[in-house]
Structure formats: C-alpha cells, structure tokens
Amino acid sequence: MGLSLQTRYMLGMIVDATGAGMFLPLSLLYFHHVTGMPVAQVGAIMTTAALLALVGNPVTGLLIDRYGARTVVVGGYVLRAAGFATYSLVDSAVPMVLVVTVVSFGDVSFQPSIQSFIAEIVQGTARDKLLAAQRSLRNAGLGGGGLIAGGALALDSDVAYQAIVLGTAATYLGAAALIRSIPVRQDPEAPAPVRPKRGYRLVAANRPFMWLTLLNVPTAFGYMVLSVSLPVYLTQELHSPSSLVGVLYATNTVGIALLQIPVTRVLTRYRRTRVAALGGGVFCLAFLSFAALGLVSAGTPVLVGVFSATLLFTLGELMHGATASALVASTAPEATRGRHLAVYQLSWAVPTALAPAVLTALLTLSPAGMWLLLAAGVAVSALSLVRLEPRLPAQAVRADAVPATDTETQTETETEESTTAREEPDLSTPQSRQA
C-alpha cells in the first residue's frame, strides 16, 4: 500500500468513527425494534454489559505489553465486527446480553491500545499532532455516520436497521485492515524492552502516574455534561426548546472537527501540563457560566449565554483533549505502557458509566450545585496537575524534550517502588485527595 503511515492511520479512524456514528444514535432503538423489549430494559442491558466489560480493562493492558498495541487494536476491531454481525440473531434479553458484552469488551480495549499504538509509531510533537488529527477526523466521521443513521431512522424498516448493523461490522473490519497495514517502527540498535512480570504492581508503584490518573476523574465527569446534563438542564430548568440541544451538540462537534488540528499545532510549543491545566480552567469557566444562566430570565440572554458557555466548553476540550492524551502516553514507561494506559482508561470508563446516574441525581438535587461542584472539581484537578509537573518525565511535559531511555524510566520506577514506605507524595493535601 503506497499511502503514508499517517494517512493509513487517519483513514482507519475515519472508517471506524463513521461506523460508530452510524450505530450510536439508534443503538437503543435497534434492539427495541428487533426484540420488542421496552427501551428501559434495553438500556439496562447495555449498561450492564458495559460494566461487565470493565473487567477486560486490566487484561487489555497485559495483552498490549505481551503482544503489542497494534495486535490488540486489530483484535478489538475484529471482536466488535463479529459481535455486530450477530446482532441480527438477537431476539431476547439473554442473547442480547451475550453479544453486547462481546462488543463492549472490544470497546474497552480500544482506548488503551490505540494510545499505546500512537506512542509506538510517532514521537514528540508529531504525537500531539496525530492525536489532534484523530480527534478532528473522528468527530467528522461520527457526524457523517450520524447522518446515515438519520436516514435509516427515517425509513423505519427492518432492512435499513440491518443494513446499518452489517455496515458497522464492515467498517470495523476495514479499520482493522488499515491499522494492520501500518508498520511499527523499531530501532534495530535498541535493546529489546524488558517485560516485567509483576502485573499491575509496577503501575501502582508509579505514584506520579497514579496521581495523573486520579486527577483525570473530575475532568472526565465534566466531559459528560454535554450529552448527559445539558439536555435536561436546558429543557427543564431553562425552559429552552429541545431542538437547541442538537444545535449545541453540533456546535461542539463541528468546532472540534475544524479547530483541533490548528489549535494543537500552536499548543505544542508549550508544556503539556500547563496546556491541559489551562483547558481545565476553561472548563471551570464554562460550568460557572452554565450555573449563572439559572439566574437569567428566559429569552435572548439565555440563548446568548448558552452558546457562550458551550463555546467555552469547546475551547476547553480543544486545549485539554489531545494534549492530555499525549501527556499520559508519554508518561507511561514503554515496557509497561499497555498496563499503565489500561489503568488510566479507568479514569474515563468509570465516570462514563456512573455519569448518567450521578449527574442526573445532582441535577435533581440542585442544578446550580451540580455546575458548581463540577467547576470546583476541574479547578482542583487543574491546579494539582501543575503541582504534579516536576514529578513527571521531561519528555512527557515538553514534546520537544529528549526522551529518556526505557531502561532509565524503568530504573526510576523501581527506585520509587522501593522507597514507597518512606516517601510521601507531593500531593497529599486534603484538597488533592478530594480531586
């Protein structure tokens, strides 16, 4: 194949995202349509399957470190394709649990393996730029897939539903073929990385990385507001038309698709920790703006305020998303990168699973209180990230720094593990523990 490495990678992401975008908008409706089960029961089954699949997260890390990230990415795609190919056979609750759990295992494997794969094929500022391009084109792919799904919903026929499902399976196979064709660059003179056999003990001993993981939890909850909290807040508290929800979501999606690449190109000259923290600060301003809207009477001021707060949220995502991903991938030691990123992915997976219940409960209790709590969480996370900066590897903080060898990184981790009982973390204040 004559295409460049980056081109093949981005084509894979577009194909993947298009397939995901095709099915996501009609996932609940599809199983309701083919099984006749109530939508609430379908939703409960899908949530249960997603929670069951979380046990596959640590397995993913071990597989990445043992067989390589590319193998796990391709395997996850094939697993999801197989699951989608059998969706048409689902006719009741039990088969649905089985096949959706299979697909969920493939979903769980994606983020740790794809971030590990990016870390294997590009270095330095090229890593930030590739992650930015991935976010941009995946948003475009999701939007395109959503339009296809909209056409299928308009037809409301069995053939259209099955075509979407089988089409999604085909896109995953196509993405697998594209990723499989990308060579993993290896330095022939570099020694083979040592593969530790102590499972996740080594990750737990890497205290700076564990703090980096914990500090992401409040931000991960913040990311969920656009799909979970904002629709309810707009329609029930601000009494805005439900059509505004789709417009705001489109504003965010299009903004990421168009601006992520140029914004990241500018941000690569700065420290990743500072950029990610500043993105958290912008999230904080967005949440405070949403809270303030509860004090404004309905009409034009609310409309202007909602769009302004959404634009702030989008700016925070532009600053935080790709930069934080590059920071984490660069912080993880090469020999155990899979396990490290699998642990980090829990800081996204758990909030994503809990957000519908937690955020709606907070919204019911106090709409303003929910926004203020989210604002406080991301603010503490951002400030703590800046404090954590001196303990992170230089090549992780600055994209243009000279990377340490894997042996040096491994030695640092071993030293920290041996002194765990005597050394107190820098972030030991009650405020940091809350984050």
Side-chain angles (χ1 to χ4, degrees):
M1 188 177 289
L3 300 176
S4 68
L5 178 152
Q6 286 85 354
T7 301
R8 276 179 275 176
Y9 179 82
M10 295 318 306
L11 281 174
M13 292 302 99
I14 293 174
V15 172
D16 168 7
T18 301
M22 286 164 53
F23 185 74
L24 282 174
L26 52 79
S27 55
L28 288 172
L29 295 177
Y30 172 79
F31 287 110
H32 170 67
H33 182 84
V34 300
T35 66
M37 290 187 295
V39 172
Q41 184 180 0
V42 172
I45 290 174
M46 296 183 73
T47 299
T48 301
L51 292 174
L52 289 173
L54 287 179
V55 302
N57 192 277
V59 177
T60 297
L62 294 172
L63 292 175
I64 293 170
D65 291 336
R66 177 66 179 85
Y67 298 105
R70 184 179 62 179
T71 300
V72 179
V73 174
V74 172
Y77 277 138
V78 172
L79 194 64
R80 283 184 281 180
F84 271 88
T86 59
Y87 272 5
S88 59
L89 304 177
V90 173
D91 58 2
S92 60
V94 174
M96 180 181 167
V97 171
L98 295 176
V99 297
V100 174
T101 300
V102 168
V103 172
S104 296
F105 271 106
D107 291 338
V108 164
S109 72
F110 179 73
Q111 286 299 333
S113 59
I114 203 67
Q115 290 195 43
S116 297
F117 184 60
I118 291 174
E120 290 179 3
I121 61 177
V122 289
Q123 306 293 328
T125 58
R127 184 175 295 171
D128 300 69
K129 294 174 182 177
L130 187 58
L131 283 165
Q134 171 183 308
R135 286 176 57 81
S136 176
L137 294 180
R138 280 187 65 83
N139 271 271
L142 287 169
L147 291 176
I148 297 173
L153 288 172
L155 294 174
D156 192 29
S157 68
D158 290 343
V159 174
Y161 277 110
Q162 299 303 339
I164 289 293
V165 167
L166 295 177
T168 301
T171 60
Y172 284 138
L173 290 177
L178 286 164
I179 296 300
R180 182 66 183 83
S181 71
I182 298 174
V184 178
R185 296 177 179 177
Q186 294 181 343
D187 183 357
E189 298 181 359
V194 178
R195 303 295 183 188
K197 298 181 179 180
R198 286 177 291 166
Y200 283 88
R201 284 179 53 200
L202 203 61
V203 182
N206 189 343
R207 298 171 76 180
F209 188 89
M210 294 304 296
W211 275 112
L212 194 61
T213 300
L214 291 173
L215 292 177
N216 186 60
V217 172
T219 307
F221 271 105
Y223 267 83
M224 297 301 297
V225 301
L226 209 61
S227 58
V228 176
S229 304
L230 191 57
V232 180
Y233 184 65
L234 287 177
T235 55
Q236 296 188 7
E237 299 298 329
L238 302 184
H239 308 291
S240 299
S242 57
S243 58
L244 183 59
V245 175
V247 175
L248 293 176
Y249 189 81
T251 299
N252 171 263
T253 302
V254 173
I256 299 298
L258 295 178
L259 298 177
Q260 185 68 79
I261 295 175
V263 167
T264 301
R265 283 177 178 169
V266 174
L267 296 178
T268 52
R269 69 188 69 173
Y270 304 106
R271 300 180 187 183
R272 288 167 173 155
T273 44
R274 304 297 174 87
V275 173
L278 187 57
V282 176
F283 277 138
C284 179
L285 292 177
F287 297 152
L288 291 176
S289 299
F290 280 124
L293 290 175
L295 304 176
V296 181
S297 58
T300 302
V302 169
L303 188 63
V304 173
V306 165
F307 270 99
S308 299
T310 302
L311 290 175
L312 276 174
F313 181 91
T314 303
L315 177 60
E317 191 173 346
L318 286 167
M319 300 179 71
H320 180 272
T323 303
S325 295
L327 172 66
V328 172
S330 302
T331 300
E334 180 183 352
T336 54
R337 184 181 290 138
R339 276 168 274 191
H340 276 76
L341 294 183
V343 169
Y344 182 79
Q345 181 57 25
L346 289 174
S347 71
W348 286 104
V350 175
T352 299
L354 296 179
V358 173
L359 293 181
T360 52
L362 290 173
L363 189 60
T364 302
L365 184 63
S366 171
M370 181 202 68
W371 293 115
L372 294 176
L373 184 61
L374 287 170
V378 295
V380 170
S381 178
L383 292 173
S384 300
L385 180 59
V386 175
R387 290 190 59 196
L388 183 64
E389 181 184 291
R391 302 187 63 197
L392 298 176
Q395 77 275 9
V397 174
R398 300 194 69 99
D400 55 358
V402 178
T405 65
D406 190 60
T407 302
E408 291 172 346
T409 307
Q410 183 71 26
T411 302
E412 291 173 3
T413 306
E414 294 279 3
T415 301
E416 184 156 11
E417 182 184 25
S418 65
T419 59
T420 297
R422 293 180 284 107
E423 183 181 276
E424 292 296 325
D426 293 340
L427 301 177
S428 57
T429 63
Q431 191 179 37
S432 300
R433 285 195 295 272
Q434 183 180 359

